[in-house]
Amino acid sequence: MLNLLKNRFGFDRFRPLQEEIISQALLGKDAFVLMPTGGGKSLCYQLPALKMPGMTLVVSPLIALMKDQVDALKANGIPAAFINSTLSPAEIDRTQTEARTGELKILYAAPERLANPGFQNFLSELKISLIAIDEAHCISEWGHDFRPDYRNLKILRNIFPGVPVMALTATATEKVREDIIRQLSLGQAKVFISSFNRPNLSYAVLPKKDSYDQLIGILQAHKNESVIIYCFSRKNTENLAADLREEGFSALAYHAGLESGKRKKNQEKFIRDEARIIVATIAFGMGIDKPDVRLVVHYNLPKSIEGYYQETGRAGRDGLPSRCVLFYSFGDTIKQQFFIRQIEEERERDNAYKKLNQMVEYCELSACRRRHLLSYFGEEYESEKCGGCDVCLSPKVEFDATVISQKIISAIVRTGERFGASYIIDVLTGAKNKKISERGHQKLSVFGIADDFSKVELRNIIGQLVSKKLIAKMGDEYPVLGLGERGKEFLKNRENILLSKPESGAEAIRKRTAFEVDYDRELFDQLRLLRKKIADEKGVPPFVVFGDLALTQMASYLPQSEESFSKISGVGEEKLKQYGKIFTEVIRTYAKENNLEEKNIPAGKPATARRAIRAGSTYEETKKLVQQKMSIEKMAKARGMTPGTITSHIEKLTSAGEEININYLRPPAKKMEKIARAFQKSGGSALSPVREILGDEFSYEELRVARMFLKS
Ligand code: ADP
Ligand code: ZN
C-alpha cells in the first residue's frame, strides 16, 4: 500500500486513520469516516479503488469539485471520470461506455442521477467494488446542509447488495451521525473518527475597531496568497471587494445573488490563482476545494460555531501553516439577533439564539480558542494552551480585578438580576438613557461607578467573570446576567480576584511569527509561476499540477536530479515523468544564480513549520550588522561571506517579517527606476530575465537589493 501511495499519489506516509480505513474497505466492509476538512478523506477511497478489481463509485453533491478531483486523479495517471449535469448527453454517453468496458477505476456521480431509472440500469451493469459517499451529512435533515437528493442513495444498497459502502463527512454532530448511519443502513460499519484539531491553523479574534485598516495590514502580510473573506450580506461582499480592488488587491465578490455565469467565473478565477481574494457570503466554499488558502477572514460574526469551524476549515487543507482571523464587535451580535427575531418557527428561532450565543462566548473567550473549539465538538485537547491562537500567543497581563468585579456584581444584584450585559454596562458607566431613567436606576449607588473602564473592557471583564462562574448568564434570546454559583461567596468572603487585562488581539497577530516556514520565497515564486503556466496550458487549476507543500519543499531542498525530485511530497511516477525535467531545470538555474546547493531530503519528512529566524542563527548575526547600518560589502567582509549570501540573509530577514530598517540600502532613485521598469517588463520577480534586459550595468546583488524595495 505504501508503494501505491508513493507511486500514484506521491506521498510517503499515511495521515492518521487513512491506512485503517483503507484496510477496512479492502476487507469489503462498510466504514463511516468522520475527519476534518483537509484530513485526507479522498485518499481513503481513491487508493483502495486502485487495488480492488472493479470500479469505485463516488457520490458527491459538489459538482464544481468533481472536475477538479478527476483532473487531479488524471494528473496522477489514474483513470477517472465524472457524470453530472455539466456534461452534454454525448459526453455522458462516452463516459458510460468507458465505465462499461472497465477502463475507469473511479467514477464520480451527482446524487440526483440516482433517481433516474436509466442511470440505475446503467449502474447495475457495472462491476462496482466500493461505493463512497462524500459529504454524507447531506443526507440528514438535522445537519446544516440537507440535500433532498441524498435520499436517493438508499437505492444503491438495493442495486449493489454486499458492496462495501464508505460514508465520509467533516461535519456531523452525534445526532447527524446516527441519522447517517440509520439512513444508509450502516449499522455494521466501523466508525472512524479522527481528531478535529487542525494543528496548522492559527486562530485569532480581533476587536472590530478600525477593522478595515487592520484587514489591509493583514492582507499585505499575505500578498500573493489565496484568501477568503466572509461577510454578512451580499451587499457587504460587493462593497468590500470593490474597496479592496481600489487598494490594488485582486479581489472578487461571491454570493448566491450573482448571476450564475458571473459567479462561476469569479470562482474559477480564484481557483486558478488569477484572483487572490474572494469576498463571499457563506454560500461560498461548498463548491471549492482549493488546498492552498492561507487566510480565512470572518469580517462579520458567523452564525454558529459549526459554520465558523467549517469555514475556517477551508484554510490550509494542504497542511501548511494558515491563519483564521475573526473581527468581532457587539454590534454584529445585535445585527444577527435582529435577523433571528424574524424567524417564525419557535424551535428554530431558539436554536438560532443558542448558536449565536455560543459564538459570542467563543469571541469573548480569555482561554485557549483551539481548546474551546475542540471541546465544542466533544474532543479534549491535550494541554491548556495550544500556542497557536491569539490568547495563547499573547501573554496575558493580569490585574487586580477585585474592585471592578465587586462593582459589576453589585450592579447586577441592585438591578434585580433582570438585565443583560449592555444594560448593566450602561448603568456602570453612567449612561444617560431613557430606559435607565424610567426605572430610576440613575439613583442607584452603582450608577456611573465604573466610568474609568471603557464599554469594551467591561464587556470583556464580564465575559471572564461568567467563565469563572461569578456571574451567570441565563436565557438565550435576551441573555440576562445574574449571580453565579461562586458569586455569593465572592461577595461574602471579600475574596481577591485576578483577571487578565483586556487588550486587543491585534498586537498578538502582529507579533505572530511562530508559523513561518523555512524556504526560499523567491524560488517559490518562480515555481509558482511555472506551475501557473503549465496549469493554464492544460486547463486545470494550478494545485492539480503541484500543491503548495510540494513547491515549498522544492524551494527548501532544491532538488536537481530526477531521483531527489521524486522524493518531494506529491511527486508520484506520473508527475515525475511529466514535470520532473522542467521543474528541476528552474531549480538548477536558480541555485546556480544564487550560489545555493541542493539539500538532503529526509525521507518522508515534510518541510516543517518552524520559526524562520532563530536567535543566535546566522541570520541574527547579519541582522545585528544591518542595525549598525553597514554596507553589504562591509558586512560580507566582517562575516567572511560573499555579498550574495549577505543579501540573501537580508531577504530572508525581511520576508520573515523581522522589524529591521534597511532603507539605508535603497539604491538611488535613478537606478531604482531603471530596475523597477526592467522587473515590470520581465513580468516576474526572477533575476535572470531582468539582467538580460539591463545588461551588465547592475550586479545580481544590486538587483536583489532593489527587488526588496520593490516588494514592500
Ligand atoms: P478532505 O476531503 O478530507 O478535506 P482531501 O482529501 O482533499 O481532504 O485532502 C487534503 C489534502 O491532503 C490534499 O491536498 C491531499 O492531496 C493531501 N493528502 C491526503 N493524504 C495525504 C498523505 N497521506 N500525505 C500527504 N498529503 C496527503
Ligand atoms: Zn490556544
Side-chain angles (χ1 to χ4, degrees):
M1 260 156 49
L2 276 173
N3 277 340
L4 217 46
L5 183 67
K6 181 61 195 169
N7 294 343
R8 291 308 192 90
F9 298 93
F11 304 136
D12 296 293
R13 280 170 309 166
F14 283 108
R15 295 244 181 100
L17 292 185
Q18 282 181 332
E19 200 169 3
E20 291 87 335
I21 297 165
I22 293 168
S23 305
Q24 178 81 355
L26 292 178
L27 286 172
K29 294 186 177 164
D30 293 346
F32 180 76
V33 176
L34 193 57
M35 227 187 230
T37 315
K41 284 188 285 300
S42 330
L43 195 91
C44 296
Y45 53 82
Q46 289 172 349
L47 195 142
L50 299 179
K51 243 186 141 148
M52 294 173 123
M55 201 180 72
T56 290
L57 175 69
V58 185
V59 182
S60 164
L62 311 177
I63 289 181
L65 196 140
M66 268 182 213
K67 185 170 178 321
D68 289 349
Q69 288 234 5
V70 167
D71 282 343
L73 285 165
K74 284 187 182 159
N76 280 323
I78 298 168
F82 64 89
I83 292 184
N84 65 30
S85 54
T86 65
L87 296 188
S88 68
E91 286 169 317
I92 293 181
D93 242 26
R94 200 175 326 127
T95 306
Q96 294 197 339
T97 309
E98 281 173 8
R100 277 196 205 96
T101 56
E103 273 169 63
L104 292 178
K105 285 312 283 180
I106 303 180
L107 177 68
Y108 284 79
E112 72 271 9
R113 294 274 131 190
L114 298 170
N116 176 338
F119 193 75
Q120 290 175 15
N121 269 338
F122 154 70
L123 284 180
S124 60
E125 295 168 30
L126 303 175
K127 169 143 184 50
I128 302 275
S129 311
L130 174 67
I131 298 169
I133 296 173
D134 213 355
E135 313 291 338
H137 59 275
C138 293
I139 203 170
S140 173
E141 276 180 276
W142 303 108
H144 56 89
D145 191 28
F146 172 56
R147 313 256 175 140
D149 281 332
Y150 256 57
R151 292 283 154 88
N152 296 327
L153 293 178
K154 294 177 191 166
I155 300 166
L156 287 176
R157 279 287 192 195
N158 301 333
I159 307 181
F160 301 107
V163 173
V165 169
M166 186 185 291
L168 309 100
T169 173
T171 45
T173 55
E174 187 70 40
K175 201 165 170 184
V176 173
R177 204 184 306 163
E178 281 165 13
D179 205 18
I180 297 171
I181 289 178
R182 193 172 46 78
Q183 299 214 40
L184 291 174
S185 324
L186 286 170
Q188 303 297 317
K190 188 155 176 187
V191 178
F192 297 89
I193 301 179
S194 89
S195 166
F196 269 58
N197 187 23
R198 301 282 313 275
N200 61 317
L201 301 191
S202 71
Y203 301 93
V205 176
L206 303 184
K208 202 167 178 179
K209 221 175 82 188
D210 309 321
S211 49
Y212 184 68
D213 293 335
Q214 289 198 62
L215 177 67
I216 297 292
I218 296 170
L219 290 177
Q220 272 160 354
H222 286 270
K223 238 191 225 162
N224 282 331
E225 297 178 347
S226 296
V227 177
I228 304 177
I229 304 174
Y230 285 108
C231 288
F232 189 66
S233 71
R234 298 172 179 186
K235 190 110 198 97
N236 291 154
T237 65
E238 293 192 7
N239 291 342
L240 185 57
D243 288 349
L244 291 177
R245 278 198 298 274
E246 227 149 78
E247 305 274 347
F249 293 101
S250 58
L252 293 174
Y254 184 100
H255 57 74
L258 285 181
E259 179 263 314
S260 86
K262 171 118 187 173
R263 204 167 63 204
K264 210 164 143 203
K265 214 171 95 207
N266 287 359
Q267 172 168 315
E268 194 69 2
K269 279 192 168 159
F270 182 62
I271 290 174
R272 293 184 188 274
D273 289 349
E274 275 147 29
R276 279 296 171 185
I277 303 174
I278 204 98
V279 188
T281 55
I282 49 169
F284 182 75
M286 270 316 274
I288 72 140
D289 195 4
K290 194 167 170 28
D292 52 3
V293 174
R294 292 275 88 85
L295 169 71
V296 168
V297 176
H298 281 85
Y299 205 56
N300 298 102
L301 189 66
K303 290 187 181 66
S304 70
I305 297 218
E306 281 99 335
Y308 172 68
Y309 202 66
Q310 201 187 34
E311 284 141 31
T312 55
R314 294 180 185 130
R317 294 171 88 113
D318 54 9
L320 289 177
S322 309
R323 288 157 84 183
C324 311
V325 175
L326 186 161
F327 285 101
Y328 169 65
S329 78
F330 194 67
D332 270 359
T333 318
I334 308 263
K335 219 191 272 171
Q336 296 271 25
Q337 280 170 342
F338 173 81
F339 284 100
I340 294 176
R341 221 165 290 142
Q342 328 286 316
I343 300 176
E344 280 179 13
E345 218 255 307
E346 190 182 334
R347 208 175 59 154
E348 200 185 323
R349 189 175 57 233
D350 287 351
N351 196 34
Y353 277 124
K354 200 160 118 206
K355 300 262 175 219
L356 178 64
N357 289 337
Q358 288 165 337
M359 199 61 233
V360 169
E361 191 187 348
Y362 169 81
C363 293
E364 294 182 348
L365 213 58
S366 55
C368 176
R369 295 196 202 276
R370 185 184 313 271
R371 207 181 144 79
H372 186 90
L373 285 172
L374 290 174
S375 88
Y376 182 87
F377 294 105
E379 188 178 330
E380 174 140 18
Y381 187 66
E382 68 258 26
S383 63
E384 281 295 318
K385 290 189 161 204
C386 74
C389 73
D390 56 336
V391 179
C392 293
L393 283 172
S394 64
K396 286 282 177 227
V397 184
E398 294 200 313
F399 78 112
D400 183 345
T402 311
V403 176
I404 185 64
S405 303
Q406 285 167 350
K407 286 178 178 172
I408 292 172
I409 296 176
S410 310
I412 291 170
V413 175
R414 295 283 163 80
T415 51
E417 302 186 48
R418 287 187 294 127
F419 300 96
S422 300
Y423 188 82
I424 298 296
I425 290 171
D426 279 350
V427 171
L428 285 162
T429 52
K432 296 190 175 40
N433 71 37
K434 219 168 112 208
K435 280 188 198 150
I436 291 183
S437 52
E438 271 170 13
R439 300 189 174 103
H441 284 161
Q442 81 282 13
K443 292 186 208 126
L444 293 175
S445 59
V446 289
F447 184 75
I449 54 167
D451 58 1
D452 46 339
F453 285 85
S454 74
K455 290 189 177 200
V456 174
E457 286 168 333
L458 287 171
R459 193 168 284 283
N460 177 296
I461 294 172
I462 290 176
Q464 294 190 53
L465 292 173
V466 169
S467 66
K468 286 191 184 300
K469 298 203 164 40
L470 270 65
I471 296 178
K473 214 172 181 178
M474 300 164 294
D476 283 331
E477 182 171 355
Y478 300 101
V480 162
L481 300 181
L483 206 53
E485 283 166 39
R486 294 197 40 233
K488 255 189 215 122
E489 275 168 67
F490 170 76
L491 287 182
K492 206 170 79 199
N493 303 341
R494 307 201 159 263
E495 289 168 32
N496 281 324
I497 184 165
L498 289 177
L499 294 178
S500 27
K501 204 164 176 165
E503 62 151 359
S504 79
E507 259 323 286
I509 207 148
R510 238 173 276 130
K511 282 187 284 197
R512 190 204 61 98
T513 49
F515 277 94
E516 291 294 341
V517 176
D518 210 359
Y519 61 88
D520 191 309
R521 289 180 190 248
E522 168 54 25
L523 176 56
F524 183 84
D525 281 345
Q526 288 191 20
L527 296 172
R528 187 147 58 182
L529 284 177
L530 176 61
R531 169 176 75 178
K532 175 74 179 135
K533 204 176 121 232
I534 296 173
D536 285 350
E537 279 164 15
K538 303 209 158 199
V540 296
F543 56 78
V544 165
V545 177
F546 280 123
D548 275 8
L549 180 61
L551 298 196
T552 311
Q553 289 189 2
M554 292 177 208
S556 165
Y557 300 116
L558 311 164
Q560 291 161 44
S561 68
E562 219 175 69
E563 203 224 321
S564 49
F565 190 75
S566 72
K567 289 189 190 156
I568 296 289
S569 169
V571 179
E573 280 171 357
E574 185 68 22
K575 288 196 177 164
L576 180 65
K577 203 166 74 196
Q578 294 237 7
Y579 309 127
K581 212 156 147 225
I582 42 184
F583 274 83
T584 48
E585 220 165 83
V586 169
I587 298 170
R588 214 173 304 123
T589 311
Y590 182 82
K592 210 151 125 205
E593 211 174 71
N594 292 282
N595 241 331
L596 300 169
E597 270 175 34
E598 175 169 337
K599 285 181 235 163
N600 229 345
I601 305 178
K605 273 260 175 63
T608 43
R610 62 184 141 119
R611 205 169 269 240
I613 310 300
R614 282 176 299 274
S617 67
T618 182
Y619 303 111
E620 190 73 22
E621 288 303 313
T622 301
K623 180 176 167 183
K624 282 183 196 149
L625 301 183
V626 173
Q627 280 161 344
Q628 295 168 30
K629 301 218 185 321
M630 272 193 190
S631 72
I632 298 217
E633 283 71 19
K634 270 206 179 133
M635 286 190 263
K637 235 188 217 136
R639 297 216 54 204
M641 292 170 162
T642 65
T645 307
I646 296 291
T647 314
S648 72
H649 285 184
I650 299 173
E651 278 181 332
K652 179 111 190 180
L653 287 162
T654 52
S655 69
E658 290 280 314
E659 295 208 344
I660 51 166
N661 189 348
I662 54 166
N663 276 335
Y664 76 100
L665 291 172
R666 181 187 268 276
K670 267 226 178 84
K671 283 189 176 184
M672 224 20 221
E673 209 176 302
K674 236 176 173 170
I675 299 174
R677 224 173 300 129
F679 269 109
Q680 215 163 25
K681 210 159 145 194
S682 81
S685 54
L687 298 175
S688 309
V690 172
R691 193 118 199 270
E692 245 161 57
I693 297 171
L694 290 172
D696 281 338
E697 194 182 341
F698 301 96
S699 69
Y700 271 121
E701 274 69 57
E702 281 180 82
L703 295 180
R704 289 174 79 175
V705 170
R707 189 175 58 190
M708 285 186 247
F709 290 96
L710 292 174
K711 275 189 177 169
S712 52

